[in-house]
């Protein structure tokens, strides 16, 4: 069973940067797709980015493409989300999760959700 803990959120001005981390426990981390999602108040959970188990393949939502970068360090059982040029509309709780479905951006294909980390971008 993989347990995930997100960290790195906070309050930042528009145009600023944050780096989120997702630390995983469990031996199956390196063989899973990992994804980042976000949920703004009153809205559903939206896909942000995913990365293959090797780190060689990444995919982003159009809204964050170019600005965000997902990466992973399997030796440290950690996935990262580098967020640059942040906008107020990026404000949300950010979650990481794992999936056994390659190429999926659907929340229902992901499991072992972390507790989330709040990102707030002021204008």
């Amino acid at each position: 069973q993989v347990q995930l803990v997100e960290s790195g959120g906070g309050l930042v001005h528009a145009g600023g940067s944050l780096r989120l981390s997702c630390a995983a426990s469990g031996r199956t981390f390196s063989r899973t797709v990992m994804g980042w999602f976000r949920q703004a108040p009153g809205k559903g959970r939206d896909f942000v980015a995913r990365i293959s188990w090797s780190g060689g393949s990444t995919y982003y939502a159009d809204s964050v493409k170019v600005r965000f970068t997902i990466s992973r360090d399997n030796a440290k059982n950690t996935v990262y989300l580098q967020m640059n040029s942040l906008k107020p509309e990026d404000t949300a709780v950010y979650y990481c999760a794992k999936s056994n479905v390659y190429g999926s951006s659907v929340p229902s294909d992901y499991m072992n959700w972390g507790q989330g980390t709040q990102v707030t971008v002021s204008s």
Side-chain angles (χ1 to χ4, degrees):
Q1 186 78 355
V2 175
Q3 292 183 324
L4 305 172
V5 179
E6 302 95 337
S7 63
L11 173 64
V12 64
H13 291 297
S17 298
L18 284 173
R19 188 194 196 201
L20 306 184
S21 298
C22 171
S25 61
R27 294 183 295 176
T28 60
F29 173 81
S30 63
R31 289 290 177 178
T32 62
V33 172
M34 295 298 297
W36 283 98
F37 292 77
R38 65 188 182 186
Q39 188 165 14
K43 297 188 177 181
R45 193 163 294 188
D46 294 328
F47 169 77
V48 175
R50 67 171 184 262
I51 187 166
S52 63
W53 70 268
S54 69
S57 177
T58 58
Y59 185 76
Y60 300 89
D62 288 342
S63 59
V64 307
K65 204 171 293 184
V66 177
R67 300 187 298 121
F68 290 11
T69 302
I70 188 171
S71 61
R72 68 191 295 165
D73 185 337
N74 287 340
K76 296 183 178 179
N77 282 1
T78 303
V79 177
Y80 304 96
L81 185 69
Q82 177 66 44
M83 306 186 296
N84 299 327
S85 301
L86 283 161
K87 304 175 181 179
E89 50 263 43
D90 294 318
T91 295
V93 178
Y94 283 70
Y95 300 89
C96 67
K98 79 176 193 80
S99 177
N100 294 325
V101 180
Y102 183 80
S104 174
S105 303
V106 178
S108 59
D109 284 335
Y110 285 75
M111 63 194 80
N112 301 100
W113 295 86
Q115 83 291 344
T117 185
Q118 176 71 48
V119 171
T120 303
V121 184
S122 63
S123 57

